[in-house]
Amino acid sequence: MDSPVCLIDTASDGKLCVQPAALQILQQIQQPVVVVAVVGLYRTGKSYLLNRLAGKHSGFALGSTVESKTKGIWMWCVPHPTKAETTLLLLDTEGLGDVDKGDSRHDSNIFSLAVLLSSTLVFNSRGTIDNKAIEELQYVTELTECIKVKSPNEDVDNSTEFVKFFPSFIWAVRDFSLELKIDGEDATEDQYLEFALKLKHGTSKKVMEFNLPRECIKNFFPSRTCFTFPFPTTLEKMSTLERLGPADLCPEFQEVSKRFCTCVYEKSEVKRLKDGHTVTGRVLGHLAELYVNTISSGAVPCLENAVVALAQIENQAALQEALQVYQVGMEEKKRAFPLELEQVSAEHQRLSQSATQTFMAESFRDTDGKHLKALEEEINKLFDACLRENDQASVKKCENLLLSLSATMTEKHKQGFYAKPGGYDVFCRDLEDIVKKYNSLVKKEVKAEVVLQEFLKLKSVDSKAILQADRKLSEKEKKIKEETERAVLLEQEVKAKEETQRQLKERMEVEQRSNAERMQQMKLKMEQELEQQRVEAQRALDSKLKEQAALMEKGFQDKADLMKQEMEEFKQQASDAENSRSRELKELMENTNRRHEEQMKMMMEQHRQQMREIQRSSGGGSGLLCSVM
């Protein structure tokens, strides 16, 4: 993207809406995205920070008046400066607290969307982090009403789980002019932030109002960083900030800006869903639509519901991508048809494995295995179609070969060459030569035996006529020749059936290998999902332990005890969630294996039926047509 575009705007009816042009851009981004959103009061310089993160001097609009420039949420996608194969997605939000809007709920929605969509949230303010600045971050205290982890219909307080899914938090303090000292000693920017978030003792209404936003910040955003920016330039040059070169900017401001950008580049994580699934640009577009539509309907965005809805969309897309992998590969292979069955089967197995890998990488929450089952069925249908096409190509090749090899014999027959005493033996010798040449040329053609069987059936009609007209042979000799012909035709029929049987057996072996590979991939995905679930839970638990230790150190024993109880409940919930997911995945694997066993059972029955047919057919004698095959 050369410049930012509007992602979320306000429609004429006052409701938020996602812009189709932005969705089209996101749809094309298949890479993981690191999403950095900047929020804060209007006219605090949010856009400038984002332009710096984009590596540009201009892009997001910088206002030079008291009017807020950014409306809704704008996005800018650029290649990530330090993470390969990753997109840095920057979100510039409408300034909070603009008196012209006259709708405080609108600000809460913008803030909530920034939290929901980002992996790093930057809060931009001016001056100092005092009580007024923290009160301006009132939207944090409203998050429990604006966002739910589980269904809003469930009567549970799920704000304790915010820590597992919320973005990391950076407080950028602009135009900071104080010394960084606490109790007369030098302090770091992070220490300054933690000092500003220090709680007060007491239970009065005033104390509780003072503590509430600080507790929310601590509880919801365990990863916190602070940067204090001095004035970038002189006041008279502030209105032309985006046109200023490095020489016009304060060195200290440039140094903090550089540290800020480096921190965002290095520490901002790829955006992930509640279950740990990596978010691409396409997924983020779907998320934005889901959340905005929910808010516009008057409902509360729910992480659990969003994941379920998104899983349906993404699993269907993953299914189509996986099928595309298989189809494209097989279409390429079809150009070389006809091929030996082993070659087609090997390509099927390779492409099936690649398709399953694609599906596993893109899909998530396919709890009942519906989409995986659909993938298996569609691939089997495509494979069956490929086998039919290969069979048809093989039949055509073999028929053309026999047509060419038998051209001279056919011409001789038309001219009556075999209609003479001893002509039957000459016919047999010519046929023998054709069969020998054919067998040497067709090698492992899948339909070689079947086509030869049909060819010999057709030639047997000519053979019988020639045999009956051959006055050199006695009636007894003719009967012996007829019996021999029937035995040879029967033998060829058995050969054709045995080849079909061999091909079926090979197909079963291919399916066995494919299923084993599929089960292995499912097991690997299961282990990865469970590990990600453990990591999320441990990350949340570590943050709570850290906050508990800080509370105990500051003498808030009652709050520390309450947090201890929360942690015990949290551990139990995490354990229950892991056990539940393990059961789901185990059941999914069992169902997949059961489908495979049913398919094998059907193929085995087909195998047994063919064996019975072969046994019935092989009851006759053996020999060669005209004693020459």
Side-chain angles (χ1 to χ4, degrees), residues 310-412:
L310 193 61
Q312 290 298 315
I313 297 171
E314 286 302 300
N315 288 341
Q316 187 59 37
L319 171 60
Q320 295 306 317
E321 280 188 39
L323 287 175
Q324 183 76 359
V325 168
Y326 186 89
Q327 286 177 304
V328 169
M330 270 303 185
E331 286 300 322
E332 182 69 26
K333 201 67 177 176
K334 285 180 185 179
R335 296 177 185 178
F337 280 3
L339 293 170
E340 296 176 17
L341 180 60
E342 291 85 346
Q343 292 177 286
V344 183
S345 297
E347 186 67 359
H348 159 72
Q349 191 172 344
R350 185 185 72 81
L351 291 172
S352 179
Q353 183 178 5
S354 296
T356 304
Q357 286 175 341
T358 299
F359 177 79
M360 292 294 184
E362 299 295 329
S363 66
F364 66 100
R365 275 289 188 99
D366 187 27
T367 308
D368 56 2
K370 179 178 70 174
H371 293 88
L372 179 61
K373 179 183 178 183
L375 176 63
E376 293 174 35
E377 291 174 348
E378 288 300 317
I379 285 179
N380 285 334
K381 287 179 184 177
L382 290 170
F383 184 39
D384 288 339
C386 285
L387 290 177
R388 286 194 295 272
E389 288 186 45
N390 191 56
D391 286 351
Q392 291 166 3
S394 179
V395 166
K396 186 175 181 180
K397 179 179 177 180
C398 293
E399 287 178 343
N400 288 339
L401 177 59
L402 283 172
L403 188 65
S404 174
L405 292 174
S406 64
T408 302
M409 185 182 192
T410 302
E411 188 62 30
K412 282 182 178 181

Side-chain angles (χ1 to χ4, degrees), residues 26-216:
L26 291 174
Q27 189 69 24
Q28 304 305 314
I29 301 176
Q30 302 299 322
Q31 294 181 341
V33 289
V34 172
V35 188
V36 180
V38 179
V39 297
L41 299 184
Y42 76 106
R43 300 299 303 117
T44 52
K46 303 186 304 299
S47 301
Y48 180 82
L49 286 182
L50 287 163
N51 288 339
R52 287 300 303 268
L53 287 172
K56 306 289 183 180
H57 287 292
S58 61
F60 288 111
L62 303 186
S64 57
T65 68
V66 294
E67 180 188 4
S68 175
K69 285 290 181 183
T70 303
K71 300 297 182 183
I73 298 180
W74 286 62
M75 75 170 191
W76 197 356
C77 305
V78 298
H80 198 286
T82 62
K83 291 181 171 67
E85 303 299 320
T86 305
T87 294
L88 178 62
L89 201 155
L90 305 171
L91 298 179
D92 191 10
T93 63
E94 182 174 343
L96 307 174
D98 186 353
V99 293
D100 289 338
K101 285 181 290 192
D103 182 6
S104 59
R105 190 66 183 175
H106 179 83
D107 282 352
S108 296
N109 290 336
I110 291 291
F111 186 84
S112 298
L113 285 169
V115 171
L116 288 166
L117 296 176
S118 66
S119 49
T120 293
L121 183 73
V122 180
F123 180 68
N124 199 64
S125 68
R126 275 183 168 166
T128 61
I129 305 179
D130 53 16
N131 195 49
K132 181 176 181 297
I134 292 176
E135 286 177 351
E136 288 171 347
L137 195 51
Q138 59 176 315
Y139 311 100
V140 175
T141 66
E142 300 171 2
L143 287 176
T144 55
E145 300 301 321
C146 297
I147 298 173
K148 298 296 180 183
V149 175
K150 301 184 188 302
S151 172
N153 297 325
E154 295 182 29
D155 187 21
V156 292
D157 176 18
N158 43 45
S159 63
T160 56
E161 294 195 49
F162 282 0
V163 65
K164 292 169 63 177
F165 318 113
F166 271 27
S168 57
F169 182 83
I170 297 177
W171 194 318
V173 187
R174 309 294 293 278
D175 305 339
F176 184 79
S177 58
L178 302 178
E179 285 188 274
L180 279 175
K181 288 184 178 294
I182 299 175
D183 297 332
E185 296 185 3
D186 291 338
T188 65
E189 291 161 306
D190 287 351
Q191 288 172 335
Y192 171 63
L193 173 59
E194 294 309 308
F195 179 78
L197 297 178
K198 187 171 64 172
L199 304 179
K200 284 185 177 180
H201 287 275
T203 57
S204 68
K205 181 180 178 182
K206 188 174 182 180
V207 169
M208 292 177 70
E209 288 176 348
F210 178 90
N211 286 343
L212 179 60
R214 290 164 173 80
E215 287 180 316
C216 288

Side-chain angles (χ1 to χ4, degrees), residues 548 559-570:
Q548 184 196 34
K559 292 182 180 292
D561 291 341
L562 184 61
M563 184 164 282
K564 181 180 180 181
Q565 182 180 343
E566 287 180 1
M567 283 190 290
E568 290 302 319
E569 293 174 357
F570 182 84

Side-chain angles (χ1 to χ4, degrees), residues 462-521:
D462 296 336
S463 174
K464 288 176 182 177
I466 294 170
L467 177 62
Q468 294 303 318
D470 195 333
R471 288 174 291 179
K472 185 180 178 181
L473 299 172
S474 65
E475 289 302 316
K476 184 178 180 181
E477 289 174 321
K478 289 179 181 180
K479 287 183 179 180
I480 293 173
K481 296 286 186 183
E482 285 179 352
E483 289 298 324
T484 303
E485 280 193 33
R486 280 195 293 270
V488 170
L489 288 173
L490 184 59
E491 182 179 5
Q492 184 57 41
E493 181 184 349
V494 171
K495 280 185 180 180
K497 288 180 178 178
E498 286 177 342
E499 178 59 23
T500 302
Q501 177 80 341
R502 186 193 69 79
Q503 292 175 12
L504 176 61
K505 185 178 179 182
E506 184 174 326
R507 173 75 185 273
M508 291 171 65
E509 291 172 353
V510 168
E511 289 305 318
Q512 291 279 20
R513 292 193 296 270
S514 295
N515 185 65
E517 290 169 355
R518 186 163 48 245
M519 296 298 287
Q520 181 62 32
Q521 290 185 43

